[in-house]
Amino acid sequence: EHFKAEDIRPMTHEDLETVANWDREQAGYDRATVLRHLMRAGPEVACVAGNRDQPCGFIMGRKGDRNTQLGPLVAQDCATAHKLLQTAMNTVEGPFYLDAFSVNQRELAAGISATWTMERTFRRMCLGEAPLCGDSAMHYLAAGPELG
């Protein structure tokens, strides 16, 4: 189900449980603790798409030592991801960081009218067997390597 741009709204503490449940379905694991931390750290950045009972995307962020970090960004499709990212970008003053997943990096950058600079790459590695969780096509930005 698609939505209109006006269906993107600031995330509230009341939204957190519904967003965390939806995120668990998409990610395949529970990040509720991380999402609560991000809501405390950067409430001005946190936005959700969709209706109150059924989100279809969200973005969060936090201030870092040098710049703001935007992410995680999880969305039902690239159009939703673009709208959420643009909304969050409008709340941030100064430079910010994005840790984009390679599976969606090109599509995400193509939908935003900004000049991006690749600072470094990030490769997640695992020793032993670790099956992938969730639907990676719905994950656009990580919260940062230290948060996931």
mmCIF file of all heavy atoms in Angstrom, residues 92-123:
data_model
loop_
_atom_site.group_PDB
_atom_site.id
_atom_site.type_symbol
_atom_site.label_atom_id
_atom_site.label_comp_id
_atom_site.label_asym_id
_atom_site.label_seq_id
_atom_site.Cartn_x
_atom_site.Cartn_y
_atom_site.Cartn_z
ATOM 1 N N VAL A 92 18.651 18.367 9.380
ATOM 2 C CA VAL A 92 20.050 18.354 9.795
ATOM 3 C C VAL A 92 20.763 19.604 9.293
ATOM 4 O O VAL A 92 20.663 19.941 8.121
ATOM 5 C CB VAL A 92 20.759 17.091 9.245
ATOM 6 C CG1 VAL A 92 22.235 17.108 9.585
ATOM 7 C CG2 VAL A 92 20.093 15.840 9.772
ATOM 8 N N GLU A 93 21.475 20.249 10.197
ATOM 9 C CA GLU A 93 22.332 21.360 9.797
ATOM 10 C C GLU A 93 23.749 20.851 9.675
ATOM 11 O O GLU A 93 24.221 20.103 10.521
ATOM 12 C CB GLU A 93 22.266 22.471 10.839
ATOM 13 C CG GLU A 93 20.920 23.168 10.874
ATOM 14 C CD GLU A 93 20.925 24.340 11.837
ATOM 15 O OE1 GLU A 93 22.002 24.910 12.097
ATOM 16 O OE2 GLU A 93 19.839 24.656 12.323
ATOM 17 N N GLY A 94 24.421 21.282 8.617
ATOM 18 C CA GLY A 94 25.805 20.880 8.426
ATOM 19 C C GLY A 94 25.931 19.517 7.789
ATOM 20 O O GLY A 94 24.939 18.883 7.422
ATOM 21 N N PRO A 95 27.156 19.036 7.661
ATOM 22 C CA PRO A 95 27.405 17.743 7.024
ATOM 23 C C PRO A 95 26.838 16.595 7.856
ATOM 24 O O PRO A 95 26.642 16.715 9.059
ATOM 25 C CB PRO A 95 28.930 17.632 6.965
ATOM 26 C CG PRO A 95 29.479 18.888 7.500
ATOM 27 C CD PRO A 95 28.379 19.683 8.104
ATOM 28 N N PHE A 96 26.585 15.493 7.190
ATOM 29 C CA PHE A 96 26.110 14.298 7.871
ATOM 30 C C PHE A 96 26.655 13.076 7.165
ATOM 31 O O PHE A 96 27.079 13.139 6.018
ATOM 32 C CB PHE A 96 24.580 14.253 7.946
ATOM 33 C CG PHE A 96 23.886 14.376 6.625
ATOM 34 C CD1 PHE A 96 23.632 13.262 5.840
ATOM 35 C CD2 PHE A 96 23.494 15.622 6.164
ATOM 36 C CE1 PHE A 96 23.001 13.385 4.623
ATOM 37 C CE2 PHE A 96 22.863 15.748 4.947
ATOM 38 C CZ PHE A 96 22.611 14.632 4.174
ATOM 39 N N TYR A 97 26.630 11.969 7.886
ATOM 40 C CA TYR A 97 27.111 10.700 7.351
ATOM 41 C C TYR A 97 25.944 9.776 7.053
ATOM 42 O O TYR A 97 24.940 9.766 7.753
ATOM 43 C CB TYR A 97 28.019 9.988 8.374
ATOM 44 C CG TYR A 97 29.334 10.669 8.618
ATOM 45 C CD1 TYR A 97 29.641 11.173 9.873
ATOM 46 C CD2 TYR A 97 30.267 10.789 7.602
ATOM 47 C CE1 TYR A 97 30.860 11.788 10.105
ATOM 48 C CE2 TYR A 97 31.478 11.405 7.821
ATOM 49 C CZ TYR A 97 31.774 11.903 9.076
ATOM 50 O OH TYR A 97 32.975 12.507 9.301
ATOM 51 N N LEU A 98 26.122 8.972 5.997
ATOM 52 C CA LEU A 98 25.199 7.896 5.640
ATOM 53 C C LEU A 98 26.024 6.634 5.480
ATOM 54 O O LEU A 98 27.032 6.648 4.777
ATOM 55 C CB LEU A 98 24.502 8.174 4.299
ATOM 56 C CG LEU A 98 23.746 9.475 4.112
ATOM 57 C CD1 LEU A 98 23.258 9.582 2.673
ATOM 58 C CD2 LEU A 98 22.593 9.563 5.082
ATOM 59 N N ASP A 99 25.613 5.565 6.103
ATOM 60 C CA ASP A 99 26.233 4.257 5.872
ATOM 61 C C ASP A 99 25.235 3.436 5.077
ATOM 62 O O ASP A 99 24.347 2.782 5.639
ATOM 63 C CB ASP A 99 26.590 3.568 7.196
ATOM 64 C CG ASP A 99 27.785 4.213 7.882
ATOM 65 O OD1 ASP A 99 28.598 4.835 7.177
ATOM 66 O OD2 ASP A 99 27.903 4.098 9.113
ATOM 67 N N ALA A 100 25.358 3.533 3.746
ATOM 68 C CA ALA A 100 24.395 2.905 2.837
ATOM 69 C C ALA A 100 24.786 1.461 2.565
ATOM 70 O O ALA A 100 25.957 1.156 2.342
ATOM 71 C CB ALA A 100 24.326 3.692 1.528
ATOM 72 N N PHE A 101 23.789 0.587 2.591
ATOM 73 C CA PHE A 101 24.024 -0.811 2.223
ATOM 74 C C PHE A 101 24.241 -0.885 0.715
ATOM 75 O O PHE A 101 23.513 -0.266 -0.061
ATOM 76 C CB PHE A 101 22.824 -1.681 2.625
ATOM 77 C CG PHE A 101 22.679 -1.831 4.104
ATOM 78 C CD1 PHE A 101 21.698 -1.143 4.792
ATOM 79 C CD2 PHE A 101 23.546 -2.650 4.812
ATOM 80 C CE1 PHE A 101 21.570 -1.284 6.162
ATOM 81 C CE2 PHE A 101 23.430 -2.797 6.186
ATOM 82 C CZ PHE A 101 22.438 -2.105 6.861
ATOM 83 N N SER A 102 25.222 -1.649 0.302
ATOM 84 C CA SER A 102 25.587 -1.699 -1.118
ATOM 85 C C SER A 102 24.442 -2.162 -2.002
ATOM 86 O O SER A 102 24.330 -1.734 -3.146
ATOM 87 C CB SER A 102 26.813 -2.589 -1.328
ATOM 88 O OG SER A 102 26.551 -3.898 -0.869
ATOM 89 N N VAL A 103 23.543 -3.003 -1.489
ATOM 90 C CA VAL A 103 22.445 -3.522 -2.300
ATOM 91 C C VAL A 103 21.529 -2.400 -2.790
ATOM 92 O O VAL A 103 20.939 -2.494 -3.857
ATOM 93 C CB VAL A 103 21.659 -4.613 -1.544
ATOM 94 C CG1 VAL A 103 20.911 -4.033 -0.351
ATOM 95 C CG2 VAL A 103 20.708 -5.344 -2.457
ATOM 96 N N ASN A 104 21.432 -1.293 -2.044
ATOM 97 C CA ASN A 104 20.540 -0.187 -2.405
ATOM 98 C C ASN A 104 21.256 1.144 -2.593
ATOM 99 O O ASN A 104 20.608 2.164 -2.792
ATOM 100 C CB ASN A 104 19.468 -0.012 -1.320
ATOM 101 C CG ASN A 104 18.485 -1.143 -1.324
ATOM 102 O OD1 ASN A 104 18.039 -1.581 -2.367
ATOM 103 N ND2 ASN A 104 18.159 -1.645 -0.145
ATOM 104 N N GLN A 105 22.550 1.149 -2.529
ATOM 105 C CA GLN A 105 23.319 2.385 -2.552
ATOM 106 C C GLN A 105 23.062 3.227 -3.797
ATOM 107 O O GLN A 105 22.800 4.423 -3.708
ATOM 108 C CB GLN A 105 24.801 2.027 -2.445
ATOM 109 C CG GLN A 105 25.706 3.180 -2.175
ATOM 110 C CD GLN A 105 27.119 2.675 -1.915
ATOM 111 O OE1 GLN A 105 27.574 1.731 -2.563
ATOM 112 N NE2 GLN A 105 27.807 3.284 -0.978
ATOM 113 N N ARG A 106 23.131 2.627 -4.957
ATOM 114 C CA ARG A 106 22.976 3.366 -6.211
ATOM 115 C C ARG A 106 21.573 3.952 -6.334
ATOM 116 O O ARG A 106 21.399 5.104 -6.696
ATOM 117 C CB ARG A 106 23.291 2.445 -7.391
ATOM 118 C CG ARG A 106 23.425 3.183 -8.712
ATOM 119 C CD ARG A 106 24.004 2.294 -9.792
ATOM 120 N NE ARG A 106 25.379 1.931 -9.442
ATOM 121 C CZ ARG A 106 25.886 0.718 -9.591
ATOM 122 N NH1 ARG A 106 25.179 -0.256 -10.080
ATOM 123 N NH2 ARG A 106 27.130 0.469 -9.253
ATOM 124 N N GLU A 107 20.554 3.152 -6.015
ATOM 125 C CA GLU A 107 19.171 3.620 -6.122
ATOM 126 C C GLU A 107 18.890 4.746 -5.139
ATOM 127 O O GLU A 107 18.202 5.708 -5.455
ATOM 128 C CB GLU A 107 18.187 2.471 -5.877
ATOM 129 C CG GLU A 107 18.192 1.415 -6.958
ATOM 130 C CD GLU A 107 19.316 0.396 -6.780
ATOM 131 O OE1 GLU A 107 20.095 0.481 -5.796
ATOM 132 O OE2 GLU A 107 19.430 -0.492 -7.634
ATOM 133 N N LEU A 108 19.432 4.642 -3.955
ATOM 134 C CA LEU A 108 19.220 5.669 -2.948
ATOM 135 C C LEU A 108 19.847 6.991 -3.378
ATOM 136 O O LEU A 108 19.202 8.031 -3.329
ATOM 137 C CB LEU A 108 19.806 5.227 -1.602
ATOM 138 C CG LEU A 108 19.499 6.117 -0.413
ATOM 139 C CD1 LEU A 108 18.001 6.143 -0.130
ATOM 140 C CD2 LEU A 108 20.254 5.633 0.813
ATOM 141 N N ALA A 109 21.087 6.951 -3.835
ATOM 142 C CA ALA A 109 21.785 8.170 -4.254
ATOM 143 C C ALA A 109 21.121 8.806 -5.469
ATOM 144 O O ALA A 109 21.062 10.030 -5.584
ATOM 145 C CB ALA A 109 23.250 7.854 -4.553
ATOM 146 N N ALA A 110 20.589 7.998 -6.370
ATOM 147 C CA ALA A 110 19.969 8.528 -7.590
ATOM 148 C C ALA A 110 18.716 9.342 -7.300
ATOM 149 O O ALA A 110 18.375 10.250 -8.057
ATOM 150 C CB ALA A 110 19.628 7.382 -8.539
ATOM 151 N N GLY A 111 18.038 9.075 -6.215
ATOM 152 C CA GLY A 111 16.794 9.761 -5.921
ATOM 153 C C GLY A 111 16.945 11.026 -5.112
ATOM 154 O O GLY A 111 15.976 11.730 -4.869
ATOM 155 N N ILE A 112 18.143 11.355 -4.696
ATOM 156 C CA ILE A 112 18.368 12.535 -3.870
ATOM 157 C C ILE A 112 19.281 13.486 -4.634
ATOM 158 O O ILE A 112 20.324 13.098 -5.125
ATOM 159 C CB ILE A 112 19.037 12.134 -2.525
ATOM 160 C CG1 ILE A 112 18.191 11.116 -1.794
ATOM 161 C CG2 ILE A 112 19.293 13.353 -1.667
ATOM 162 C CD1 ILE A 112 16.814 11.601 -1.374
ATOM 163 N N SER A 113 18.865 14.737 -4.718
ATOM 164 C CA SER A 113 19.666 15.723 -5.448
ATOM 165 C C SER A 113 20.728 16.294 -4.513
ATOM 166 O O SER A 113 20.564 17.345 -3.907
ATOM 167 C CB SER A 113 18.776 16.833 -5.994
ATOM 168 O OG SER A 113 18.062 17.435 -4.932
ATOM 169 N N ALA A 114 21.791 15.569 -4.370
ATOM 170 C CA ALA A 114 22.921 15.997 -3.551
ATOM 171 C C ALA A 114 24.181 15.351 -4.122
ATOM 172 O O ALA A 114 24.107 14.372 -4.846
ATOM 173 C CB ALA A 114 22.724 15.560 -2.097
ATOM 174 N N THR A 115 25.312 15.942 -3.817
ATOM 175 C CA THR A 115 26.579 15.388 -4.248
ATOM 176 C C THR A 115 27.155 14.588 -3.091
ATOM 177 O O THR A 115 27.381 15.122 -2.011
ATOM 178 C CB THR A 115 27.554 16.508 -4.652
ATOM 179 O OG1 THR A 115 26.945 17.279 -5.681
ATOM 180 C CG2 THR A 115 28.860 15.941 -5.142
ATOM 181 N N TRP A 116 27.374 13.300 -3.340
ATOM 182 C CA TRP A 116 27.860 12.407 -2.305
ATOM 183 C C TRP A 116 29.343 12.152 -2.495
ATOM 184 O O TRP A 116 29.825 12.045 -3.610
ATOM 185 C CB TRP A 116 27.122 11.069 -2.367
ATOM 186 C CG TRP A 116 25.650 11.225 -2.251
ATOM 187 C CD1 TRP A 116 24.746 11.205 -3.265
ATOM 188 C CD2 TRP A 116 24.906 11.469 -1.071
ATOM 189 N NE1 TRP A 116 23.488 11.404 -2.781
ATOM 190 C CE2 TRP A 116 23.549 11.568 -1.430
ATOM 191 C CE3 TRP A 116 25.242 11.618 0.267
ATOM 192 C CZ2 TRP A 116 22.540 11.800 -0.505
ATOM 193 C CZ3 TRP A 116 24.246 11.837 1.185
ATOM 194 C CH2 TRP A 116 22.911 11.922 0.800
ATOM 195 N N THR A 117 30.048 12.027 -1.407
ATOM 196 C CA THR A 117 31.456 11.668 -1.428
ATOM 197 C C THR A 117 31.626 10.353 -0.693
ATOM 198 O O THR A 117 31.229 10.238 0.467
ATOM 199 C CB THR A 117 32.302 12.752 -0.723
ATOM 200 O OG1 THR A 117 32.080 13.994 -1.368
ATOM 201 C CG2 THR A 117 33.772 12.390 -0.770
ATOM 202 N N MET A 118 32.200 9.386 -1.384
ATOM 203 C CA MET A 118 32.477 8.102 -0.746
ATOM 204 C C MET A 118 33.681 8.299 0.153
ATOM 205 O O MET A 118 34.768 8.631 -0.319
ATOM 206 C CB MET A 118 32.774 7.032 -1.794
ATOM 207 C CG MET A 118 33.222 5.718 -1.222
ATOM 208 S SD MET A 118 31.903 4.687 -0.588
ATOM 209 C CE MET A 118 31.171 4.141 -2.098
ATOM 210 N N GLU A 119 33.483 8.136 1.438
ATOM 211 C CA GLU A 119 34.575 8.331 2.383
ATOM 212 C C GLU A 119 35.348 7.037 2.597
ATOM 213 O O GLU A 119 36.559 7.026 2.658
ATOM 214 C CB GLU A 119 34.033 8.841 3.715
ATOM 215 C CG GLU A 119 35.122 9.182 4.696
ATOM 216 C CD GLU A 119 34.574 9.805 5.947
ATOM 217 O OE1 GLU A 119 34.308 11.009 5.934
ATOM 218 O OE2 GLU A 119 34.420 9.072 6.938
ATOM 219 N N ARG A 120 34.622 5.952 2.749
ATOM 220 C CA ARG A 120 35.258 4.641 2.939
ATOM 221 C C ARG A 120 34.212 3.566 2.701
ATOM 222 O O ARG A 120 33.019 3.835 2.731
ATOM 223 C CB ARG A 120 35.855 4.506 4.327
ATOM 224 C CG ARG A 120 34.814 4.558 5.427
ATOM 225 C CD ARG A 120 35.451 4.410 6.807
ATOM 226 N NE ARG A 120 34.458 4.550 7.825
ATOM 227 C CZ ARG A 120 34.361 5.575 8.648
ATOM 228 N NH1 ARG A 120 35.227 6.554 8.557
ATOM 229 N NH2 ARG A 120 33.417 5.625 9.558
ATOM 230 N N THR A 121 34.684 2.364 2.510
ATOM 231 C CA THR A 121 33.760 1.249 2.375
ATOM 232 C C THR A 121 33.712 0.490 3.692
ATOM 233 O O THR A 121 34.600 0.621 4.534
ATOM 234 C CB THR A 121 34.188 0.295 1.244
ATOM 235 O OG1 THR A 121 35.488 -0.200 1.541
ATOM 236 C CG2 THR A 121 34.185 1.003 -0.094
ATOM 237 N N PHE A 122 32.689 -0.272 3.848
ATOM 238 C CA PHE A 122 32.498 -1.056 5.062
ATOM 239 C C PHE A 122 32.092 -2.454 4.623
ATOM 240 O O PHE A 122 31.160 -2.624 3.866
ATOM 241 C CB PHE A 122 31.393 -0.418 5.909
ATOM 242 C CG PHE A 122 31.035 -1.202 7.132
ATOM 243 C CD1 PHE A 122 31.856 -1.198 8.246
ATOM 244 C CD2 PHE A 122 29.872 -1.945 7.180
ATOM 245 C CE1 PHE A 122 31.521 -1.918 9.381
ATOM 246 C CE2 PHE A 122 29.528 -2.661 8.309
ATOM 247 C CZ PHE A 122 30.361 -2.643 9.408
ATOM 248 N N ARG A 123 32.803 -3.427 5.087
ATOM 249 C CA ARG A 123 32.492 -4.809 4.734
ATOM 250 C C ARG A 123 32.265 -5.586 6.019
ATOM 251 O O ARG A 123 33.147 -5.683 6.866
ATOM 252 C CB ARG A 123 33.621 -5.441 3.935
ATOM 253 C CG ARG A 123 33.313 -6.860 3.512
ATOM 254 C CD ARG A 123 34.381 -7.427 2.613
ATOM 255 N NE ARG A 123 34.674 -6.582 1.491
ATOM 256 C CZ ARG A 123 34.112 -6.695 0.290
ATOM 257 N NH1 ARG A 123 33.207 -7.619 0.085
ATOM 258 N NH2 ARG A 123 34.447 -5.896 -0.683
#
